[in-house]
Amino acid sequence: MNDDATDQDPDKTRWIRSCQNTFQTAITCQSKMDQETMDTDFDVIVLGTGLTECILSGLLSVDGKKVLHIDKQDHYGGEAASVTLSQLYEKFKQNPISKEEREAKFGRDRDWNVDLIPKFLMANGELTKILAHTDVTRYVDFKQVSGSYVFKQGKIYKVPANEMEAISSPLMGIFEKRRMKKFLEWISSYQEDELATHQGLDLDKNTMDEVYYKFGLGNSTKEFIGHSMALWTNDDYLQQPARQSFERILLYCQSVARYGKSPYLYPLYGLGELPQGFARLSAIYGGTYMLDNPIDEVLYNEEGQFKGVKTKLGTFNAPLVIADPTYFPEKCKSTGQRVIRAICILNHPVANTNNADSIQIIIPQSQVGRKNDIYIAVVSEAHNVCSKNHYLAIISTIVETDKPHIELESAFKLLGPIEEKFMGIAELFEPKDDGSKDKVYLSRSYDASSHFESMTDDVKDIYFRVTGHPFVLKPRDTNEDQ
Amino acid sequence: MNSGITSIKLVLLGEAAVGKSSIVLRFVSNDFTENKEPTIGAAFLTQRVNIGEQTVKFEIWDTAGQERFASLAPMYYRNAQAALVVYDITKPQSFIKARHWVKELHEQASKGIIIALVGNKVDIVSSGGERKVAREEAEKLAEEEGLLFFETSAKTGENVNEVFLGIGEKIPLGRPDEQSGLQNGGVRITDDQRIDLASTGSGAVAASGCNC
Ligand SMILES: Cc1cc2nc3c(=O)[nH]c(=O)nc-3n(C[C@H](O)[C@H](O)[C@H](O)COP(=O)(O)OP(=O)(O)OC[C@H]3O[C@@H](n4cnc5c(N)ncnc54)[C@H](O)[C@@H]3O)c2cc1C
Ligand SMILES: Nc1nc2c(ncn2[C@@H]2O[C@H](COP(=O)(O)OP(=O)(O)OP(=O)(O)O)[C@@H](O)[C@H]2O)c(=O)[nH]1
Ligand SMILES: [Mg+2]
């Protein structure tokens, strides 16, 4: 996937420059060198190696900031890690099965990279753009997700990914398809500064329901557009101005158009590769990494502003800290939402999906009498996340009752026989303050959405609060890979 | 796949200051620097070598300093087809570390990975310094674990090219169909679903890109 890097390769230039830099004289290779020359003053300290933190760490290092990145755990990824089966059993089961039994059933442990948080990348989404822009694509390989499916009246149907599929799709009648086509034409031809393309609609004044009305779309089509394309998890959007829905539908369409099968991409070896890729970016630009280094104490100055952290490896100072909610529970509040996730191991593909190696299934709320959609993400051996002939299906939704596992019943039914099941409920947290007072900038928990768009919003928001200027993807240097 | 060119991801492992970056600098630029600073920054470069009819393109990954505090990401050696595990023949501690890396690679890396054990800084012994890791001891480890073994000097260039040629010769080259069969040890799989994100960098998809 990489173009030939030749003599103009910037990394190579950097490499040779650093190799030729001889200003450091006497200190060479005492084994205690690390201690003696270890820096203790940084521009930014980052706590937690979740994806949000690693992207910020990478971006700030590229900006020339001196970053120290610490995790209390001994692996990358925090809440967004991908773990092996043995780690998964350890995390979820009081009485894990024996190693022998596990290996007999599921094969070698090292073949498994199970995501704790299920998500896909939108092919044309922000995360994809940041990956390409920062060249982290050098470290991670991606595959298309084979298809997106939607649940309707007890069955699942493929969400059409091209005109051929749309024409033959039983999801809509012929006349409704014609209206749908008109609606999609409006989306794709809409230009902000050409009033004629607006067809009399104002994205900031008209609600999405009014837009649907204008195109004469029926309830089932509304559900399809709102939940399978705009990827709203409930129906609140209907009464809100149409702009956000418009943008989501456009993103969906552009993402499908990019590679053809579905709007989604997924990294080989699991989502845990993403934080590792950005951590490497950060390290290449000088970031210092310390895993397995719990924080003994957070230090503040007299004004109550962050000053540094005390750890077993020493005390480190910086004028600000970026962290995930688990490092500062007292500075976070619950969003009131809880997400239930069920990681299921299957030994068969999901029925009625053409034996696809990877799919998303959306169960719209109204189909099962809920307020929030249920998502199922399925990946397999094709992505190097499990051993041969196994499939990983992760079900997730926002908890609505006091019997959350029963809420997933319709999803379990779709999956068929399940070899092993790991269930967990996560409360979603957000920071109480914006960090301007105490210089503690906190990320939000990973939400129930099926993709990374809200996570990248959080990245941009924190980046802006930390640096004072908005994050823009500068055009890439076109000479770079030639 | 471009016939005749095989890309090999090669990673460097070893204790700090054993000469990992120096070996690569010698190989890529035929250059050497006394008192080189520890590696941060540079971390990826490529070098082509002709082996018989074949061109092998080494994609060489350095650790970017992440191993300093035992924080190397598994993705670093994931998918690597070759690894140099380097130690300093005047530093016994660095040989212990090398054993550790060999073990780690066998547990975590691709099954078919080709590992070269490299004892660096032999010039120090030639100029009267004391050797602290016996050649026999390293040879024994190499034999037990199925490793290539070299003693090198990045300073004089002794044996450095031989390391890379030795690896190049052990990599299964040739017909692309053979290569794509190498699921685990293998050359990058080229299948239709694999995405080249880098080519999307322009981001110039206008609203008209909506193809629905
Ligand atoms: C989920 C979804 C996604 C869509 N995505 C796209 C897209 O990506 N690109 C795009 O251009 N359009 C898309 N559409 C719109 C749909 O493709 C059009 O409605 C379709 O192309 C037919 O348009 P038409 O104007 O020719 O009208 P139609 O009147 O629907 O069809 C024209 C002719 O084809 C015949 N015909 C149409 N459909 C069928 C059928 N199912 N069975 C038998 N005969 C049929 C009709 O009898 C008629 O003679 C989508 C629709 C849906 C429901
Ligand atoms: N005498 C001698 N010195 C060497 C040789 N190779 C490297 N050195 C010196 O050893 C020191 C460390 O070399 P590096 O190439 O930076 O080692 P490294 O393994 O990349 O070190 P880190 O990046 O810190 O992990 C430098 O001062 C080099 O000049 C060699 O073959 N002989
Ligand atoms: Mg180095």
Side-chain angles (χ1 to χ4, degrees):
Chain A
M1 63 183 252
N2 304 314
D3 290 334
D4 292 351
T6 59
D7 296 308
Q8 279 127 43
D9 187 318
D11 276 357
K12 188 174 205 167
T13 325
R14 288 173 61 88
W15 175 304
I16 290 169
R17 208 186 308 131
S18 89
C19 287
Q20 287 164 347
N21 196 339
T22 54
F23 69 87
Q24 261 195 341
T25 46
I27 35 160
T28 40
C29 38
Q30 306 92 321
S31 60
K32 288 188 78 189
M33 185 193 77
D34 285 347
Q35 262 70 24
E36 284 165 16
T37 61
M38 187 156 54
D39 287 315
T40 53
D41 294 314
F42 293 85
D43 295 329
V44 184
I45 292 174
V46 183
L47 303 180
T49 54
L51 183 53
T52 313
E53 289 73 33
C54 286
I55 296 177
L56 282 162
S57 175
L59 295 176
L60 292 169
S61 286
V62 171
D63 282 354
K65 297 273 190 303
K66 202 168 144 197
V67 177
L68 172 63
H69 202 156
I70 298 177
D71 199 307
K72 57 191 168 192
Q73 292 177 288
D74 64 0
H75 58 268
Y76 283 90
E79 309 278 296
S82 303
V83 302
T84 63
L85 257 196
S86 59
Q87 290 171 316
L88 198 62
Y89 271 104
E90 211 168 290
K91 222 175 151 70
F92 284 87
K93 306 257 164 169
Q94 290 91 352
N95 304 309
I97 59 176
S98 71
K99 182 164 180 260
E100 291 69 32
E101 200 184 333
R102 195 188 66 229
E103 285 181 350
K105 244 177 137 177
F106 301 119
R108 287 185 311 181
D109 202 37
R110 48 176 280 190
D111 290 339
W112 293 80
N113 295 290
V114 185
D115 301 332
L116 298 177
I117 310 267
K119 279 183 191 297
F120 290 138
L121 287 84
M122 299 293 287
N124 209 42
E126 276 306 300
L127 180 54
T128 314
K129 288 178 185 161
I130 296 174
L131 279 161
H133 173 79
T134 53
D135 252 352
V136 169
T137 46
R138 273 194 164 158
Y139 317 131
V140 192
D141 286 330
F142 291 88
K143 276 189 171 179
Q144 276 192 75
V145 172
S146 296
S148 177
Y149 287 75
V150 58
F151 179 90
K152 193 176 172 187
Q153 287 158 7
K155 285 202 212 145
I156 58 171
Y157 299 91
K158 181 150 197 295
V159 177
N162 55 50
E163 194 165 357
M164 286 282 288
E165 286 184 4
I167 290 170
S168 60
S169 171
L171 278 168
M172 280 171 213
I174 290 175
F175 294 106
E176 188 69 359
K177 278 185 185 166
R178 192 185 292 170
R179 290 188 280 271
M180 173 79 173
K181 187 172 179 165
K182 291 249 153 61
F183 170 78
L184 292 174
E185 278 166 3
W186 170 71
I187 296 267
S188 67
S189 62
Y190 184 97
Q191 305 233 353
E192 203 58 58
D193 42 13
E194 278 183 52
L195 262 184
T197 65
H198 298 192
Q199 298 190 27
L201 290 165
D202 184 330
L203 293 180
D204 298 314
K205 291 222 175 74
N206 291 110
T207 64
M208 196 58 201
D209 213 21
E210 286 163 352
V211 173
Y212 287 146
Y213 182 77
K214 148 114 187 162
F215 288 94
L217 296 167
N219 280 337
S220 138
T221 312
K222 288 187 201 175
E223 177 182 284
F224 177 82
I225 296 173
H227 293 261
S228 301
M229 298 178 80
L231 303 169
W232 291 114
T233 55
N234 59 48
D235 273 344
D236 296 348
Y237 77 99
L238 284 171
Q239 304 314 324
Q240 289 160 5
R243 182 171 299 279
Q244 243 194 317
S245 295
F246 169 86
E247 281 167 0
R248 283 166 162 242
I249 297 164
L250 188 61
L251 170 63
Y252 187 92
C253 292
Q254 290 174 337
S255 295
V256 176
R258 187 135 249 175
Y259 301 110
K261 289 190 183 172
S262 81
Y264 301 116
L265 303 179
Y266 186 81
L268 294 189
Y269 300 101
L271 296 175
E273 297 296 280
L274 297 170
Q276 292 182 48
F278 283 100
R280 180 166 167 80
L281 174 74
S282 180
I284 285 174
Y285 282 87
T288 301
Y289 275 81
M290 295 175 181
L291 297 186
D292 198 16
N293 191 24
I295 306 301
D296 296 332
E297 194 186 341
V298 180
L299 308 171
Y300 296 91
N301 66 16
E302 307 81 60
E303 282 104 67
Q305 292 173 328
F306 177 84
K307 194 174 78 170
V309 292
K310 221 183 229 173
T311 75
K312 65 180 185 218
L313 289 175
T315 297
F316 306 102
N317 312 306
L320 64 98
V321 65
I322 297 171
D324 78 44
T326 64
Y327 287 83
F328 291 90
E330 74 287 359
K331 290 182 187 287
C332 293
K333 59 175 193 277
S334 171
T335 62
Q337 283 189 336
R338 295 189 308 150
V339 180
I340 178 165
R341 300 183 174 111
I343 300 170
C344 306
I345 300 177
L346 317 180
N347 56 10
H348 57 84
V350 178
N352 305 315
T353 62
N354 247 327
N355 299 335
D357 63 24
S358 51
I359 51 167
Q360 175 186 58
I361 304 173
I362 298 172
I363 306 177
Q365 24 98 304
S366 65
Q367 293 289 329
V368 285
R370 293 174 51 78
K371 294 195 200 70
N372 296 281
D373 292 2
I374 300 172
Y375 290 116
I376 309 176
V378 182
V379 286
S380 65
E381 185 204 353
H383 311 88
N384 305 1
V385 294
C386 58
S387 62
K388 214 168 161 56
N389 300 324
H390 285 103
Y391 292 76
L392 277 173
I394 309 186
I395 308 169
S396 61
T397 190
I398 293 169
V399 173
E400 295 175 7
T401 70
D402 51 8
K403 296 198 180 62
H405 56 286
I406 293 177
E407 299 182 40
L408 304 184
E409 222 30 68
S410 55
F412 290 135
K413 239 190 238 155
L414 282 179
L415 293 182
I418 294 169
E419 294 294 292
E420 186 62 279
K421 203 188 281 176
F422 305 87
M423 259 202 274
I425 294 177
E427 188 161 1
L428 301 187
F429 292 98
E430 60 188 6
K432 285 183 191 158
D433 294 306
D434 65 5
S436 58
K437 279 205 211 89
D438 55 8
K439 305 294 169 197
V440 176
Y441 298 88
L442 300 176
S443 61
R444 311 168 64 94
S445 309
Y446 300 98
D447 63 17
S449 68
S450 63
H451 49 66
F452 287 104
E453 299 306 304
S454 53
M455 188 278 306
T456 45
D457 286 347
D458 197 26
V459 166
K460 288 180 175 178
D461 185 39
I462 295 172
Y463 183 91
F464 178 72
R465 281 183 277 132
V466 164
T467 66
H469 55 88
F471 172 66
V472 273
L473 293 170
K474 298 164 208 103
R476 289 172 75 209
D477 181 355
T478 44
N479 288 329
E480 201 167 66
D481 288 321
Q482 259 74 59
Chain B
M1 175 162 279
N2 203 341
S3 69
I5 298 188
T6 307
S7 287
I8 294 178
K9 174 177 168 183
L10 179 146
V11 298
L12 297 167
L13 292 165
E15 198 175 62
V18 293
K20 299 183 293 294
S21 306
S22 298
I23 289 172
V24 174
L25 181 65
R26 173 60 74 192
F27 173 57
V28 172
S29 305
N30 196 20
D31 201 356
F32 179 76
T33 308
E34 295 280 357
N35 303 324
K36 223 185 68 49
E37 62 178 310
T39 301
I40 47 161
F44 182 90
L45 73 169
T46 62
Q47 174 78 345
R48 284 164 195 262
V49 186
N50 293 320
I51 298 177
E53 306 268 274
Q54 281 286 339
T55 302
V56 173
K57 189 176 124 194
F58 285 103
E59 293 177 0
I60 304 169
W61 293 41
D62 204 344
T63 57
Q66 275 175 296
E67 82 290 13
R68 266 182 81 198
F69 301 102
S71 303
L72 197 58
M75 77 159 347
Y76 176 70
Y77 39 82
R78 187 124 56 211
N79 258 348
Q81 286 117 284
L84 296 195
V85 175
V86 185
Y87 64 94
D88 177 342
I89 62 160
T90 69
K91 297 262 154 15
Q93 182 59 35
S94 74
F95 186 69
I96 295 173
K97 198 77 208 237
R99 278 186 193 277
H100 158 83
W101 280 121
V102 170
K103 184 162 168 276
E104 178 92 0
L105 285 170
H106 278 148
E107 278 167 15
Q108 303 293 338
S110 318
K111 234 165 99 204
I113 189 168
I114 293 161
I115 304 173
L117 180 66
V118 178
N120 190 37
K121 307 199 185 178
V122 285
D123 59 281
I124 297 183
V125 177
S126 321
S127 58
E130 194 186 344
R131 173 193 279 272
K132 300 243 176 73
V133 181
R135 194 185 163 98
E136 295 70 35
E137 193 181 354
E139 273 172 344
K140 186 158 158 274
L141 175 66
E143 192 160 326
E144 283 166 5
E145 301 286 342
L147 321 172
L148 297 172
F149 173 61
F150 300 89
E151 287 195 337
T152 61
S153 165
K155 188 169 177 176
T156 65
E158 182 181 341
N159 242 357
V160 169
N161 284 343
E162 282 75 2
V163 175
F164 292 87
L165 289 175
I167 286 172
E169 278 163 10
K170 282 202 83 177
I171 295 276
L173 304 169
R175 296 198 305 276
D177 52 334
E178 272 177 18
Q179 294 173 359
S180 52
L182 290 173
Q183 277 288 339
N184 271 322
V187 177
R188 284 231 168 83
I189 309 152
T190 51
D191 74 41
D192 63 325
Q193 285 193 57
R194 189 76 67 102
I195 296 300
D196 184 359
L197 274 186
S199 71
T200 69
S202 65
V205 178
S208 60
C210 179
N211 202 13
C212 283

